[in-house]
mmCIF file of all heavy atoms in Angstrom:
data_model
loop_
_atom_site.group_PDB
_atom_site.id
_atom_site.type_symbol
_atom_site.label_atom_id
_atom_site.label_comp_id
_atom_site.label_asym_id
_atom_site.label_seq_id
_atom_site.Cartn_x
_atom_site.Cartn_y
_atom_site.Cartn_z
ATOM 1 N N LEU A 21 2.354 9.690 0.138
ATOM 2 C CA LEU A 21 3.001 8.443 -0.259
ATOM 3 C C LEU A 21 3.300 7.632 0.996
ATOM 4 O O LEU A 21 3.950 8.122 1.925
ATOM 5 C CB LEU A 21 4.288 8.748 -1.036
ATOM 6 C CG LEU A 21 5.041 7.576 -1.662
ATOM 7 C CD1 LEU A 21 5.706 8.020 -2.968
ATOM 8 C CD2 LEU A 21 6.099 7.013 -0.718
ATOM 9 N N LYS A 22 2.801 6.416 1.036
ATOM 10 C CA LYS A 22 3.007 5.547 2.192
ATOM 11 C C LYS A 22 4.051 4.491 1.867
ATOM 12 O O LYS A 22 3.938 3.765 0.881
ATOM 13 C CB LYS A 22 1.694 4.877 2.612
ATOM 14 C CG LYS A 22 1.806 4.101 3.921
ATOM 15 C CD LYS A 22 0.430 3.740 4.467
ATOM 16 C CE LYS A 22 0.527 3.103 5.843
ATOM 17 N NZ LYS A 22 -0.804 2.844 6.434
ATOM 18 N N VAL A 23 5.085 4.429 2.711
ATOM 19 C CA VAL A 23 6.218 3.530 2.495
ATOM 20 C C VAL A 23 6.272 2.498 3.612
ATOM 21 O O VAL A 23 6.127 2.827 4.793
ATOM 22 C CB VAL A 23 7.540 4.327 2.455
ATOM 23 C CG1 VAL A 23 8.712 3.392 2.182
ATOM 24 C CG2 VAL A 23 7.474 5.412 1.402
ATOM 25 N N LEU A 24 6.498 1.257 3.243
ATOM 26 C CA LEU A 24 6.526 0.152 4.200
ATOM 27 C C LEU A 24 7.674 0.309 5.198
ATOM 28 O O LEU A 24 8.781 0.726 4.847
ATOM 29 C CB LEU A 24 6.685 -1.172 3.444
ATOM 30 C CG LEU A 24 6.490 -2.459 4.234
ATOM 31 C CD1 LEU A 24 5.040 -2.613 4.647
ATOM 32 C CD2 LEU A 24 6.932 -3.662 3.390
ATOM 33 N N HIS A 25 7.402 -0.039 6.464
ATOM 34 C CA HIS A 25 8.428 -0.017 7.512
ATOM 35 C C HIS A 25 9.547 -1.017 7.209
ATOM 36 O O HIS A 25 9.325 -2.067 6.594
ATOM 37 C CB HIS A 25 7.818 -0.405 8.857
ATOM 38 C CG HIS A 25 7.124 0.715 9.552
ATOM 39 N ND1 HIS A 25 7.626 1.985 9.618
ATOM 40 C CD2 HIS A 25 5.945 0.731 10.234
ATOM 41 C CE1 HIS A 25 6.799 2.745 10.322
ATOM 42 N NE2 HIS A 25 5.760 2.016 10.691
ATOM 43 N N ASP A 26 10.732 -0.718 7.706
ATOM 44 C CA ASP A 26 11.876 -1.625 7.546
ATOM 45 C C ASP A 26 11.571 -3.022 8.080
ATOM 46 O O ASP A 26 11.886 -4.031 7.450
ATOM 47 C CB ASP A 26 13.089 -1.071 8.306
ATOM 48 C CG ASP A 26 13.651 0.184 7.664
ATOM 49 O OD1 ASP A 26 13.226 0.527 6.555
ATOM 50 O OD2 ASP A 26 14.523 0.822 8.295
ATOM 51 N N GLU A 27 10.971 -3.070 9.271
ATOM 52 C CA GLU A 27 10.784 -4.370 9.913
ATOM 53 C C GLU A 27 9.752 -5.246 9.207
ATOM 54 O O GLU A 27 9.634 -6.427 9.509
ATOM 55 C CB GLU A 27 10.392 -4.203 11.384
ATOM 56 C CG GLU A 27 9.149 -3.369 11.614
ATOM 57 C CD GLU A 27 9.481 -1.911 11.895
ATOM 58 O OE1 GLU A 27 10.524 -1.441 11.407
ATOM 59 O OE2 GLU A 27 8.688 -1.269 12.608
ATOM 60 N N LEU A 28 9.026 -4.673 8.248
ATOM 61 C CA LEU A 28 8.025 -5.443 7.506
ATOM 62 C C LEU A 28 8.499 -5.819 6.111
ATOM 63 O O LEU A 28 7.741 -6.379 5.325
ATOM 64 C CB LEU A 28 6.713 -4.652 7.422
ATOM 65 C CG LEU A 28 6.009 -4.409 8.766
ATOM 66 C CD1 LEU A 28 4.748 -3.576 8.570
ATOM 67 C CD2 LEU A 28 5.662 -5.719 9.457
ATOM 68 N N LEU A 29 9.760 -5.483 5.804
ATOM 69 C CA LEU A 29 10.285 -5.859 4.493
ATOM 70 C C LEU A 29 10.276 -7.381 4.350
ATOM 71 O O LEU A 29 10.585 -8.103 5.285
ATOM 72 C CB LEU A 29 11.711 -5.323 4.313
ATOM 73 C CG LEU A 29 11.829 -3.801 4.173
ATOM 74 C CD1 LEU A 29 13.290 -3.385 4.109
ATOM 75 C CD2 LEU A 29 11.091 -3.321 2.930
ATOM 76 N N GLY A 30 9.928 -7.857 3.175
ATOM 77 C CA GLY A 30 9.757 -9.280 2.939
ATOM 78 C C GLY A 30 8.427 -9.509 2.247
ATOM 79 O O GLY A 30 7.583 -8.624 2.160
ATOM 80 N N ARG A 31 8.232 -10.695 1.736
ATOM 81 C CA ARG A 31 7.053 -10.971 0.913
ATOM 82 C C ARG A 31 5.753 -10.706 1.663
ATOM 83 O O ARG A 31 4.838 -10.086 1.135
ATOM 84 C CB ARG A 31 7.090 -12.416 0.426
ATOM 85 C CG ARG A 31 5.881 -12.795 -0.432
ATOM 86 C CD ARG A 31 6.015 -14.205 -0.982
ATOM 87 N NE ARG A 31 7.194 -14.324 -1.835
ATOM 88 C CZ ARG A 31 7.572 -15.477 -2.406
ATOM 89 N NH1 ARG A 31 6.877 -16.588 -2.179
ATOM 90 N NH2 ARG A 31 8.635 -15.515 -3.168
ATOM 91 N N ALA A 32 5.645 -11.174 2.914
ATOM 92 C CA ALA A 32 4.384 -11.016 3.650
ATOM 93 C C ALA A 32 4.063 -9.546 3.875
ATOM 94 O O ALA A 32 2.930 -9.104 3.656
ATOM 95 C CB ALA A 32 4.476 -11.760 4.983
ATOM 96 N N GLY A 33 5.049 -8.767 4.323
ATOM 97 C CA GLY A 33 4.807 -7.351 4.572
ATOM 98 C C GLY A 33 4.503 -6.585 3.302
ATOM 99 O O GLY A 33 3.606 -5.727 3.280
ATOM 100 N N GLN A 34 5.241 -6.902 2.228
ATOM 101 C CA GLN A 34 5.016 -6.222 0.958
ATOM 102 C C GLN A 34 3.587 -6.455 0.469
ATOM 103 O O GLN A 34 2.896 -5.529 0.026
ATOM 104 C CB GLN A 34 6.003 -6.731 -0.104
ATOM 105 C CG GLN A 34 7.470 -6.661 0.276
ATOM 106 C CD GLN A 34 8.074 -5.285 0.050
ATOM 107 O OE1 GLN A 34 7.663 -4.324 0.676
ATOM 108 N NE2 GLN A 34 9.052 -5.220 -0.834
ATOM 109 N N GLU A 35 3.159 -7.697 0.555
ATOM 110 C CA GLU A 35 1.814 -8.026 0.073
ATOM 111 C C GLU A 35 0.746 -7.419 0.969
ATOM 112 O O GLU A 35 -0.319 -7.019 0.502
ATOM 113 C CB GLU A 35 1.633 -9.549 0.000
ATOM 114 C CG GLU A 35 0.372 -9.999 -0.716
ATOM 115 C CD GLU A 35 0.275 -9.470 -2.147
ATOM 116 O OE1 GLU A 35 1.327 -9.301 -2.801
ATOM 117 O OE2 GLU A 35 -0.865 -9.229 -2.607
ATOM 118 N N ARG A 36 1.031 -7.326 2.255
ATOM 119 C CA ARG A 36 0.057 -6.742 3.172
ATOM 120 C C ARG A 36 -0.181 -5.270 2.842
ATOM 121 O O ARG A 36 -1.319 -4.792 2.882
ATOM 122 C CB ARG A 36 0.546 -6.900 4.610
ATOM 123 C CG ARG A 36 -0.462 -6.437 5.657
ATOM 124 C CD ARG A 36 0.055 -6.693 7.052
ATOM 125 N NE ARG A 36 -0.712 -5.959 8.044
ATOM 126 C CZ ARG A 36 -0.327 -5.769 9.290
ATOM 127 N NH1 ARG A 36 0.831 -6.253 9.698
ATOM 128 N NH2 ARG A 36 -1.086 -5.093 10.131
ATOM 129 N N LEU A 37 0.888 -4.530 2.517
ATOM 130 C CA LEU A 37 0.705 -3.125 2.166
ATOM 131 C C LEU A 37 -0.049 -3.010 0.837
ATOM 132 O O LEU A 37 -0.880 -2.117 0.661
ATOM 133 C CB LEU A 37 2.045 -2.407 2.077
ATOM 134 C CG LEU A 37 1.939 -0.878 1.998
ATOM 135 C CD1 LEU A 37 1.372 -0.311 3.298
ATOM 136 C CD2 LEU A 37 3.286 -0.236 1.699
ATOM 137 N N ARG A 38 0.242 -3.910 -0.094
ATOM 138 C CA ARG A 38 -0.510 -3.907 -1.353
ATOM 139 C C ARG A 38 -1.991 -4.201 -1.091
ATOM 140 O O ARG A 38 -2.868 -3.612 -1.725
ATOM 141 C CB ARG A 38 0.072 -4.934 -2.327
ATOM 142 C CG ARG A 38 1.417 -4.526 -2.929
ATOM 143 C CD ARG A 38 1.946 -5.576 -3.890
ATOM 144 N NE ARG A 38 3.205 -5.170 -4.465
ATOM 145 C CZ ARG A 38 3.331 -4.415 -5.558
ATOM 146 N NH1 ARG A 38 2.238 -4.008 -6.182
ATOM 147 N NH2 ARG A 38 4.512 -4.087 -6.018
ATOM 148 N N ASP A 39 -2.251 -5.122 -0.167
ATOM 149 C CA ASP A 39 -3.638 -5.421 0.176
ATOM 150 C C ASP A 39 -4.339 -4.181 0.728
ATOM 151 O O ASP A 39 -5.518 -3.934 0.452
ATOM 152 C CB ASP A 39 -3.704 -6.557 1.206
ATOM 153 C CG ASP A 39 -3.413 -7.916 0.614
ATOM 154 O OD1 ASP A 39 -3.446 -8.039 -0.632
ATOM 155 O OD2 ASP A 39 -3.132 -8.855 1.384
ATOM 156 N N GLU A 40 -3.613 -3.415 1.545
ATOM 157 C CA GLU A 40 -4.188 -2.178 2.084
ATOM 158 C C GLU A 40 -4.556 -1.223 0.952
ATOM 159 O O GLU A 40 -5.646 -0.641 0.936
ATOM 160 C CB GLU A 40 -3.198 -1.508 3.035
ATOM 161 C CG GLU A 40 -3.701 -0.189 3.606
ATOM 162 C CD GLU A 40 -2.702 0.456 4.559
ATOM 163 O OE1 GLU A 40 -1.806 -0.250 5.051
ATOM 164 O OE2 GLU A 40 -2.827 1.663 4.812
ATOM 165 N N ALA A 41 -3.635 -1.061 -0.008
ATOM 166 C CA ALA A 41 -3.904 -0.175 -1.141
ATOM 167 C C ALA A 41 -5.099 -0.671 -1.951
ATOM 168 O O ALA A 41 -5.956 0.115 -2.371
ATOM 169 C CB ALA A 41 -2.670 -0.071 -2.033
ATOM 170 N N ARG A 42 -5.162 -1.987 -2.169
ATOM 171 C CA ARG A 42 -6.288 -2.543 -2.925
ATOM 172 C C ARG A 42 -7.601 -2.325 -2.185
ATOM 173 O O ARG A 42 -8.635 -2.050 -2.809
ATOM 174 C CB ARG A 42 -6.070 -4.033 -3.150
ATOM 175 C CG ARG A 42 -4.887 -4.382 -4.063
ATOM 176 C CD ARG A 42 -4.852 -5.867 -4.349
ATOM 177 N NE ARG A 42 -3.638 -6.262 -5.034
ATOM 178 C CZ ARG A 42 -2.632 -6.927 -4.456
ATOM 179 N NH1 ARG A 42 -2.725 -7.294 -3.178
ATOM 180 N NH2 ARG A 42 -1.556 -7.253 -5.138
ATOM 181 N N ALA A 43 -7.553 -2.469 -0.860
ATOM 182 C CA ALA A 43 -8.782 -2.284 -0.077
ATOM 183 C C ALA A 43 -9.312 -0.867 -0.251
ATOM 184 O O ALA A 43 -10.505 -0.658 -0.502
ATOM 185 C CB ALA A 43 -8.506 -2.576 1.395
ATOM 186 N N ILE A 44 -8.434 0.134 -0.117
ATOM 187 C CA ILE A 44 -8.883 1.520 -0.251
ATOM 188 C C ILE A 44 -9.340 1.794 -1.680
ATOM 189 O O ILE A 44 -10.324 2.508 -1.903
ATOM 190 C CB ILE A 44 -7.761 2.495 0.154
ATOM 191 C CG1 ILE A 44 -7.238 2.180 1.546
ATOM 192 C CG2 ILE A 44 -8.263 3.939 0.117
ATOM 193 C CD1 ILE A 44 -6.046 3.003 1.974
ATOM 194 N N ALA A 45 -8.632 1.210 -2.659
ATOM 195 C CA ALA A 45 -8.976 1.456 -4.060
ATOM 196 C C ALA A 45 -10.343 0.898 -4.430
ATOM 197 O O ALA A 45 -10.941 1.325 -5.426
ATOM 198 C CB ALA A 45 -7.898 0.865 -4.967
ATOM 199 N N ARG A 46 -10.857 -0.050 -3.648
ATOM 200 C CA ARG A 46 -12.185 -0.603 -3.926
ATOM 201 C C ARG A 46 -13.294 0.394 -3.632
ATOM 202 O O ARG A 46 -14.434 0.205 -4.048
ATOM 203 C CB ARG A 46 -12.421 -1.861 -3.075
ATOM 204 C CG ARG A 46 -11.607 -3.056 -3.499
ATOM 205 C CD ARG A 46 -11.798 -4.231 -2.565
ATOM 206 N NE ARG A 46 -13.166 -4.758 -2.582
ATOM 207 C CZ ARG A 46 -13.520 -5.919 -2.045
ATOM 208 N NH1 ARG A 46 -12.603 -6.665 -1.443
ATOM 209 N NH2 ARG A 46 -14.766 -6.338 -2.099
ATOM 210 N N VAL A 47 -12.962 1.443 -2.895
ATOM 211 C CA VAL A 47 -13.973 2.399 -2.439
ATOM 212 C C VAL A 47 -13.746 3.738 -3.111
ATOM 213 O O VAL A 47 -12.680 4.334 -2.984
ATOM 214 C CB VAL A 47 -13.918 2.584 -0.907
ATOM 215 C CG1 VAL A 47 -15.079 3.440 -0.438
ATOM 216 C CG2 VAL A 47 -13.915 1.233 -0.201
ATOM 217 N N GLN A 48 -14.723 4.209 -3.849
ATOM 218 C CA GLN A 48 -14.678 5.532 -4.462
ATOM 219 C C GLN A 48 -15.752 6.382 -3.804
ATOM 220 O O GLN A 48 -16.934 6.265 -4.123
ATOM 221 C CB GLN A 48 -14.917 5.432 -5.977
ATOM 222 C CG GLN A 48 -13.905 4.563 -6.714
ATOM 223 C CD GLN A 48 -12.503 5.140 -6.689
ATOM 224 O OE1 GLN A 48 -12.327 6.352 -6.810
ATOM 225 N NE2 GLN A 48 -11.511 4.279 -6.535
ATOM 226 N N HIS A 49 -15.346 7.204 -2.858
ATOM 227 C CA HIS A 49 -16.321 8.001 -2.123
ATOM 228 C C HIS A 49 -15.634 9.246 -1.588
ATOM 229 O O HIS A 49 -14.473 9.191 -1.156
ATOM 230 C CB HIS A 49 -16.910 7.186 -0.959
ATOM 231 C CG HIS A 49 -18.119 7.797 -0.340
ATOM 232 N ND1 HIS A 49 -18.048 8.769 0.648
ATOM 233 C CD2 HIS A 49 -19.449 7.608 -0.567
ATOM 234 C CE1 HIS A 49 -19.260 9.136 0.993
ATOM 235 N NE2 HIS A 49 -20.139 8.454 0.273
ATOM 236 N N PRO A 50 -16.308 10.404 -1.601
ATOM 237 C CA PRO A 50 -15.666 11.640 -1.121
ATOM 238 C C PRO A 50 -15.291 11.626 0.344
ATOM 239 O O PRO A 50 -14.479 12.448 0.780
ATOM 240 C CB PRO A 50 -16.720 12.718 -1.413
ATOM 241 C CG PRO A 50 -18.018 11.989 -1.574
ATOM 242 C CD PRO A 50 -17.648 10.669 -2.156
ATOM 243 N N ASN A 51 -15.865 10.696 1.137
ATOM 244 C CA ASN A 51 -15.533 10.629 2.559
ATOM 245 C C ASN A 51 -14.577 9.487 2.883
ATOM 246 O O ASN A 51 -14.480 9.050 4.034
ATOM 247 C CB ASN A 51 -16.803 10.500 3.402
ATOM 248 C CG ASN A 51 -17.673 11.735 3.321
ATOM 249 O OD1 ASN A 51 -18.768 11.698 2.752
ATOM 250 N ND2 ASN A 51 -17.202 12.848 3.859
ATOM 251 N N VAL A 52 -13.867 9.002 1.865
ATOM 252 C CA VAL A 52 -12.828 7.990 2.039
ATOM 253 C C VAL A 52 -11.593 8.461 1.282
ATOM 254 O O VAL A 52 -11.702 8.916 0.135
ATOM 255 C CB VAL A 52 -13.274 6.607 1.515
ATOM 256 C CG1 VAL A 52 -12.158 5.575 1.700
ATOM 257 C CG2 VAL A 52 -14.542 6.145 2.216
ATOM 258 N N VAL A 53 -10.427 8.377 1.904
ATOM 259 C CA VAL A 53 -9.184 8.788 1.260
ATOM 260 C C VAL A 53 -8.981 7.962 -0.007
ATOM 261 O O VAL A 53 -9.097 6.733 0.012
ATOM 262 C CB VAL A 53 -7.990 8.617 2.218
ATOM 263 C CG1 VAL A 53 -6.677 8.880 1.500
ATOM 264 C CG2 VAL A 53 -8.128 9.545 3.413
ATOM 265 N N ALA A 54 -8.660 8.615 -1.120
ATOM 266 C CA ALA A 54 -8.532 7.944 -2.419
ATOM 267 C C ALA A 54 -7.095 7.465 -2.654
ATOM 268 O O ALA A 54 -6.128 8.155 -2.305
ATOM 269 C CB ALA A 54 -8.932 8.901 -3.539
ATOM 270 N N VAL A 55 -6.955 6.282 -3.247
ATOM 271 C CA VAL A 55 -5.649 5.732 -3.617
ATOM 272 C C VAL A 55 -5.426 5.941 -5.107
ATOM 273 O O VAL A 55 -6.338 5.775 -5.920
ATOM 274 C CB VAL A 55 -5.570 4.232 -3.268
ATOM 275 C CG1 VAL A 55 -4.473 3.546 -4.051
ATOM 276 C CG2 VAL A 55 -5.311 4.046 -1.800
ATOM 277 N N PHE A 56 -4.182 6.315 -5.486
ATOM 278 C CA PHE A 56 -3.859 6.580 -6.883
ATOM 279 C C PHE A 56 -3.017 5.475 -7.519
ATOM 280 O O PHE A 56 -3.247 5.080 -8.654
ATOM 281 C CB PHE A 56 -3.093 7.904 -7.011
ATOM 282 C CG PHE A 56 -3.833 9.102 -6.481
ATOM 283 C CD1 PHE A 56 -3.160 10.085 -5.764
ATOM 284 C CD2 PHE A 56 -5.195 9.260 -6.687
ATOM 285 C CE1 PHE A 56 -3.828 11.194 -5.278
ATOM 286 C CE2 PHE A 56 -5.876 10.363 -6.194
ATOM 287 C CZ PHE A 56 -5.185 11.338 -5.489
ATOM 288 N N ASP A 57 -2.017 4.973 -6.783
ATOM 289 C CA ASP A 57 -1.039 4.087 -7.412
ATOM 290 C C ASP A 57 -0.377 3.231 -6.341
ATOM 291 O O ASP A 57 -0.339 3.597 -5.161
ATOM 292 C CB ASP A 57 0.026 4.932 -8.134
ATOM 293 C CG ASP A 57 0.989 4.086 -8.951
ATOM 294 O OD1 ASP A 57 0.595 2.984 -9.368
ATOM 295 O OD2 ASP A 57 2.132 4.539 -9.180
ATOM 296 N N VAL A 58 0.137 2.072 -6.746
ATOM 297 C CA VAL A 58 0.912 1.216 -5.860
ATOM 298 C C VAL A 58 2.110 0.704 -6.638
ATOM 299 O O VAL A 58 2.032 0.482 -7.855
ATOM 300 C CB VAL A 58 0.060 0.040 -5.318
ATOM 301 C CG1 VAL A 58 -0.384 -0.886 -6.443
ATOM 302 C CG2 VAL A 58 0.817 -0.739 -4.249
ATOM 303 N N GLY A 59 3.257 0.583 -5.980
ATOM 304 C CA GLY A 59 4.449 0.127 -6.686
ATOM 305 C C GLY A 59 5.537 -0.287 -5.720
ATOM 306 O O GLY A 59 5.314 -0.470 -4.524
ATOM 307 N N GLU A 60 6.744 -0.442 -6.262
ATOM 308 C CA GLU A 60 7.881 -0.856 -5.457
ATOM 309 C C GLU A 60 9.090 -0.044 -5.879
ATOM 310 O O GLU A 60 9.311 0.199 -7.073
ATOM 311 C CB GLU A 60 8.138 -2.354 -5.642
ATOM 312 C CG GLU A 60 9.191 -2.913 -4.700
ATOM 313 C CD GLU A 60 9.308 -4.435 -4.809
ATOM 314 O OE1 GLU A 60 8.265 -5.114 -4.711
ATOM 315 O OE2 GLU A 60 10.446 -4.915 -5.003
ATOM 316 N N HIS A 61 9.871 0.402 -4.907
ATOM 317 C CA HIS A 61 11.073 1.188 -5.190
ATOM 318 C C HIS A 61 12.171 0.730 -4.247
ATOM 319 O O HIS A 61 11.986 0.721 -3.034
ATOM 320 C CB HIS A 61 10.800 2.683 -4.985
ATOM 321 C CG HIS A 61 12.009 3.543 -5.155
ATOM 322 N ND1 HIS A 61 12.526 3.849 -6.396
ATOM 323 C CD2 HIS A 61 12.815 4.154 -4.228
ATOM 324 C CE1 HIS A 61 13.584 4.625 -6.236
ATOM 325 N NE2 HIS A 61 13.785 4.822 -4.941
ATOM 326 N N GLY A 62 13.304 0.314 -4.820
ATOM 327 C CA GLY A 62 14.408 -0.151 -3.994
ATOM 328 C C GLY A 62 14.047 -1.330 -3.112
ATOM 329 O O GLY A 62 14.560 -1.456 -2.003
ATOM 330 N N GLY A 63 13.167 -2.196 -3.592
ATOM 331 C CA GLY A 63 12.768 -3.371 -2.831
ATOM 332 C C GLY A 63 11.773 -3.084 -1.725
ATOM 333 O O GLY A 63 11.529 -3.934 -0.874
ATOM 334 N N ARG A 64 11.160 -1.882 -1.755
ATOM 335 C CA ARG A 64 10.233 -1.496 -0.700
ATOM 336 C C ARG A 64 8.903 -1.076 -1.326
ATOM 337 O O ARG A 64 8.861 -0.195 -2.184
ATOM 338 C CB ARG A 64 10.823 -0.337 0.107
ATOM 339 C CG ARG A 64 10.089 -0.023 1.401
ATOM 340 C CD ARG A 64 10.685 1.234 2.029
ATOM 341 N NE ARG A 64 12.102 1.078 2.324
ATOM 342 C CZ ARG A 64 12.594 0.794 3.521
ATOM 343 N NH1 ARG A 64 11.771 0.660 4.544
ATOM 344 N NH2 ARG A 64 13.881 0.666 3.716
ATOM 345 N N THR A 65 7.803 -1.697 -0.888
ATOM 346 C CA THR A 65 6.481 -1.379 -1.421
ATOM 347 C C THR A 65 6.017 -0.015 -0.921
ATOM 348 O O THR A 65 6.293 0.378 0.207
ATOM 349 C CB THR A 65 5.464 -2.452 -1.008
ATOM 350 O OG1 THR A 65 5.893 -3.716 -1.524
ATOM 351 C CG2 THR A 65 4.070 -2.154 -1.552
ATOM 352 N N TYR A 66 5.308 0.684 -1.792
ATOM 353 C CA TYR A 66 4.712 1.974 -1.428
ATOM 354 C C TYR A 66 3.391 2.108 -2.167
ATOM 355 O O TYR A 66 3.116 1.372 -3.126
ATOM 356 C CB TYR A 66 5.633 3.151 -1.808
ATOM 357 C CG TYR A 66 5.721 3.367 -3.314
ATOM 358 C CD1 TYR A 66 4.824 4.204 -3.978
ATOM 359 C CD2 TYR A 66 6.687 2.696 -4.080
ATOM 360 C CE1 TYR A 66 4.885 4.379 -5.349
ATOM 361 C CE2 TYR A 66 6.747 2.864 -5.447
ATOM 362 C CZ TYR A 66 5.844 3.703 -6.078
ATOM 363 O OH TYR A 66 5.895 3.868 -7.441
#
């Protein structure tokens, strides 16, 4: 589970981490780490 850093809290940082998750989720391959889910908890994207 990857949790956003404190200093990146805010709309830009939250969306950037979501973009990272979306980027990995676009790739389904045994030699690429697979993403399962993206969400927010306590105002922090993960």
Side-chain angles (χ1 to χ4, degrees):
L21 186 147
K22 188 166 186 175
V23 182
L24 191 68
H25 278 317
D26 291 351
E27 57 265 28
L28 295 178
L29 290 176
R31 179 176 299 177
Q34 306 278 63
E35 190 57 32
R36 185 177 165 195
L37 192 66
R38 287 180 179 273
D39 285 345
E40 178 180 341
R42 294 186 189 106
I44 306 174
R46 289 176 65 167
V47 187
Q48 301 294 321
H49 193 275
N51 294 111
V52 179
V53 173
V55 160
F56 301 140
D57 187 26
V58 64
E60 188 174 308
H61 176 76
R64 192 186 301 260
T65 300
Y66 71 89

